[in-house]
mmCIF file of all heavy atoms in Angstrom:
data_model
loop_
_atom_site.group_PDB
_atom_site.id
_atom_site.type_symbol
_atom_site.label_atom_id
_atom_site.label_comp_id
_atom_site.label_asym_id
_atom_site.label_seq_id
_atom_site.Cartn_x
_atom_site.Cartn_y
_atom_site.Cartn_z
ATOM 1 N N VAL A 20 23.244 -39.793 68.869
ATOM 2 C CA VAL A 20 22.424 -38.758 68.200
ATOM 3 C C VAL A 20 22.191 -37.690 69.201
ATOM 4 O O VAL A 20 22.297 -36.459 68.825
ATOM 5 C CB VAL A 20 20.979 -39.379 67.817
ATOM 6 C CG1 VAL A 20 20.112 -38.274 67.337
ATOM 7 C CG2 VAL A 20 21.216 -40.277 66.685
ATOM 8 N N LYS A 33 31.441 -22.930 59.742
ATOM 9 C CA LYS A 33 32.417 -22.038 59.101
ATOM 10 C C LYS A 33 31.721 -21.302 57.974
ATOM 11 O O LYS A 33 30.654 -21.763 57.407
ATOM 12 C CB LYS A 33 33.484 -22.810 58.439
ATOM 13 C CG LYS A 33 34.728 -23.257 59.467
ATOM 14 C CD LYS A 33 35.735 -23.909 58.642
ATOM 15 C CE LYS A 33 35.389 -25.338 58.465
ATOM 16 N NZ LYS A 33 36.491 -26.077 57.637
ATOM 17 N N ARG A 41 28.470 -17.534 37.680
ATOM 18 C CA ARG A 41 28.499 -17.653 36.191
ATOM 19 C C ARG A 41 27.172 -17.165 35.500
ATOM 20 O O ARG A 41 26.100 -17.313 36.063
ATOM 21 C CB ARG A 41 28.702 -19.065 35.763
ATOM 22 C CG ARG A 41 30.269 -19.399 35.912
ATOM 23 C CD ARG A 41 30.499 -20.857 35.397
ATOM 24 N NE ARG A 41 29.498 -21.847 36.099
ATOM 25 C CZ ARG A 41 28.643 -22.651 35.537
ATOM 26 N NH1 ARG A 41 28.419 -22.614 34.286
ATOM 27 N NH2 ARG A 41 27.807 -23.532 36.399
ATOM 28 N N TYR A 86 23.540 -22.929 42.939
ATOM 29 C CA TYR A 86 22.164 -22.468 42.800
ATOM 30 C C TYR A 86 21.934 -21.562 41.632
ATOM 31 O O TYR A 86 22.812 -20.683 41.443
ATOM 32 C CB TYR A 86 21.813 -21.754 44.096
ATOM 33 C CG TYR A 86 20.405 -21.031 44.127
ATOM 34 C CD1 TYR A 86 19.238 -21.872 44.435
ATOM 35 C CD2 TYR A 86 20.270 -19.699 43.960
ATOM 36 C CE1 TYR A 86 18.026 -21.223 44.403
ATOM 37 C CE2 TYR A 86 18.971 -19.134 43.887
ATOM 38 C CZ TYR A 86 17.936 -19.844 44.207
ATOM 39 O OH TYR A 86 16.627 -19.370 44.054
ATOM 40 N N TYR A 97 24.826 -8.213 40.411
ATOM 41 C CA TYR A 97 24.413 -8.740 41.723
ATOM 42 C C TYR A 97 25.605 -9.195 42.506
ATOM 43 O O TYR A 97 26.594 -9.750 41.914
ATOM 44 C CB TYR A 97 23.456 -9.886 41.524
ATOM 45 C CG TYR A 97 22.144 -9.432 40.749
ATOM 46 C CD1 TYR A 97 22.079 -9.658 39.398
ATOM 47 C CD2 TYR A 97 21.080 -8.969 41.395
ATOM 48 C CE1 TYR A 97 20.943 -9.172 38.708
ATOM 49 C CE2 TYR A 97 19.991 -8.672 40.827
ATOM 50 C CZ TYR A 97 19.901 -8.698 39.450
ATOM 51 O OH TYR A 97 18.703 -8.255 38.797
ATOM 52 N N SER A 100 26.304 -13.537 48.701
ATOM 53 C CA SER A 100 26.830 -14.004 50.072
ATOM 54 C C SER A 100 26.078 -15.251 50.535
ATOM 55 O O SER A 100 24.961 -15.366 50.195
ATOM 56 C CB SER A 100 26.840 -12.821 50.987
ATOM 57 O OG SER A 100 27.467 -13.247 52.222
ATOM 58 N N GLY A 112 28.684 -14.383 57.073
ATOM 59 C CA GLY A 112 28.552 -14.347 55.592
ATOM 60 C C GLY A 112 29.879 -14.686 55.047
ATOM 61 O O GLY A 112 30.967 -14.582 55.671
ATOM 62 N N ARG A 154 25.801 -17.832 12.662
ATOM 63 C CA ARG A 154 24.975 -18.671 11.686
ATOM 64 C C ARG A 154 25.660 -20.040 11.569
ATOM 65 O O ARG A 154 26.898 -20.142 11.634
ATOM 66 C CB ARG A 154 24.847 -17.954 10.446
ATOM 67 C CG ARG A 154 23.959 -18.500 9.444
ATOM 68 C CD ARG A 154 23.955 -17.705 8.214
ATOM 69 N NE ARG A 154 25.172 -18.059 7.423
ATOM 70 C CZ ARG A 154 25.332 -17.621 6.102
ATOM 71 N NH1 ARG A 154 24.435 -16.587 5.750
ATOM 72 N NH2 ARG A 154 26.389 -17.963 5.385
ATOM 73 N N LYS A 161 30.255 -25.771 13.800
ATOM 74 C CA LYS A 161 30.482 -24.768 14.655
ATOM 75 C C LYS A 161 29.748 -23.404 14.243
ATOM 76 O O LYS A 161 29.627 -23.162 13.032
ATOM 77 C CB LYS A 161 32.018 -24.537 14.732
ATOM 78 C CG LYS A 161 32.757 -25.357 15.690
ATOM 79 C CD LYS A 161 34.201 -24.919 15.855
ATOM 80 C CE LYS A 161 34.886 -25.860 16.812
ATOM 81 N NZ LYS A 161 36.275 -25.481 16.822
ATOM 82 N N ALA A 213 14.194 -13.304 -3.911
ATOM 83 C CA ALA A 213 13.004 -12.853 -4.735
ATOM 84 C C ALA A 213 13.446 -12.954 -6.211
ATOM 85 O O ALA A 213 14.583 -12.953 -6.512
ATOM 86 C CB ALA A 213 12.721 -11.358 -4.399
ATOM 87 N N LEU A 217 11.888 -8.932 -13.529
ATOM 88 C CA LEU A 217 10.587 -9.277 -14.075
ATOM 89 C C LEU A 217 10.431 -8.388 -15.307
ATOM 90 O O LEU A 217 10.570 -7.156 -15.133
ATOM 91 C CB LEU A 217 9.478 -8.886 -13.022
ATOM 92 C CG LEU A 217 8.067 -8.921 -13.485
ATOM 93 C CD1 LEU A 217 7.598 -10.366 -13.990
ATOM 94 C CD2 LEU A 217 7.049 -8.485 -12.408
ATOM 95 N N VAL A 227 2.849 -10.596 -21.610
ATOM 96 C CA VAL A 227 3.671 -11.621 -21.236
ATOM 97 C C VAL A 227 4.746 -11.349 -20.162
ATOM 98 O O VAL A 227 5.373 -10.430 -20.274
ATOM 99 C CB VAL A 227 4.406 -12.132 -22.500
ATOM 100 C CG1 VAL A 227 5.360 -13.255 -22.208
ATOM 101 C CG2 VAL A 227 3.464 -12.498 -23.646
ATOM 102 N N THR A 263 7.538 -18.127 -16.955
ATOM 103 C CA THR A 263 6.843 -17.278 -17.770
ATOM 104 C C THR A 263 5.274 -17.394 -17.558
ATOM 105 O O THR A 263 4.890 -18.446 -17.163
ATOM 106 C CB THR A 263 7.199 -17.352 -19.233
ATOM 107 O OG1 THR A 263 6.429 -16.489 -20.093
ATOM 108 C CG2 THR A 263 6.769 -18.831 -19.764
ATOM 109 N N ALA A 281 8.413 -15.793 -5.355
ATOM 110 C CA ALA A 281 9.074 -17.220 -5.460
ATOM 111 C C ALA A 281 8.700 -17.838 -3.964
ATOM 112 O O ALA A 281 8.733 -17.027 -2.937
ATOM 113 C CB ALA A 281 10.539 -17.156 -5.569
ATOM 114 N N PHE A 293 10.321 -7.023 -7.368
ATOM 115 C CA PHE A 293 9.860 -5.626 -7.495
ATOM 116 C C PHE A 293 8.635 -5.535 -8.393
ATOM 117 O O PHE A 293 8.621 -6.394 -9.218
ATOM 118 C CB PHE A 293 11.053 -4.732 -8.058
ATOM 119 C CG PHE A 293 11.992 -4.395 -6.968
ATOM 120 C CD1 PHE A 293 13.326 -4.810 -7.196
ATOM 121 C CD2 PHE A 293 11.756 -3.543 -5.963
ATOM 122 C CE1 PHE A 293 14.290 -4.586 -6.285
ATOM 123 C CE2 PHE A 293 12.710 -3.243 -5.013
ATOM 124 C CZ PHE A 293 13.915 -3.767 -5.236
ATOM 125 N N ARG A 333 5.331 4.330 -24.035
ATOM 126 C CA ARG A 333 6.595 3.698 -24.350
ATOM 127 C C ARG A 333 7.082 4.262 -25.636
ATOM 128 O O ARG A 333 6.323 4.873 -26.343
ATOM 129 C CB ARG A 333 6.431 2.189 -24.613
ATOM 130 C CG ARG A 333 5.954 1.462 -23.177
ATOM 131 C CD ARG A 333 5.856 -0.058 -23.418
ATOM 132 N NE ARG A 333 4.726 -0.564 -24.210
ATOM 133 C CZ ARG A 333 3.388 -0.636 -23.720
ATOM 134 N NH1 ARG A 333 3.161 -0.318 -22.501
ATOM 135 N NH2 ARG A 333 2.538 -1.193 -24.469
ATOM 136 N N ALA A 334 8.374 4.155 -25.797
ATOM 137 C CA ALA A 334 9.117 4.665 -27.081
ATOM 138 C C ALA A 334 10.154 3.780 -27.410
ATOM 139 O O ALA A 334 10.453 2.856 -26.856
ATOM 140 C CB ALA A 334 9.592 6.080 -26.887
ATOM 141 N N ASN A 366 29.275 3.216 -34.481
ATOM 142 C CA ASN A 366 29.920 4.515 -34.480
ATOM 143 C C ASN A 366 29.129 5.606 -35.347
ATOM 144 O O ASN A 366 29.810 6.536 -35.764
ATOM 145 C CB ASN A 366 31.380 4.378 -35.140
ATOM 146 C CG ASN A 366 32.232 3.398 -34.300
ATOM 147 O OD1 ASN A 366 32.602 3.788 -33.199
ATOM 148 N ND2 ASN A 366 32.465 2.240 -34.782
ATOM 149 N N SER A 446 -0.193 10.984 -37.243
ATOM 150 C CA SER A 446 -1.518 10.301 -37.543
ATOM 151 C C SER A 446 -1.319 8.936 -37.032
ATOM 152 O O SER A 446 -0.283 8.512 -36.644
ATOM 153 C CB SER A 446 -1.904 10.319 -38.985
ATOM 154 O OG SER A 446 -0.952 9.596 -39.622
ATOM 155 N N MET A 485 3.760 -2.381 -35.023
ATOM 156 C CA MET A 485 3.835 -3.294 -36.207
ATOM 157 C C MET A 485 2.952 -4.554 -35.907
ATOM 158 O O MET A 485 2.235 -5.010 -36.712
ATOM 159 C CB MET A 485 5.230 -3.724 -36.609
ATOM 160 C CG MET A 485 5.980 -2.514 -37.041
ATOM 161 S SD MET A 485 5.244 -1.610 -38.477
ATOM 162 C CE MET A 485 6.348 -0.252 -38.892
#
Side-chain angles (χ1 to χ4, degrees):
V20 170
K33 281 186 279 179
R41 282 180 303 123
Y86 175 78
Y97 298 94
S100 179
R154 188 181 83 180
K161 275 189 176 171
L217 169 64
V227 177
T263 183
F293 284 110
R333 302 186 282 280
N366 299 294
S446 64
M485 295 303 180

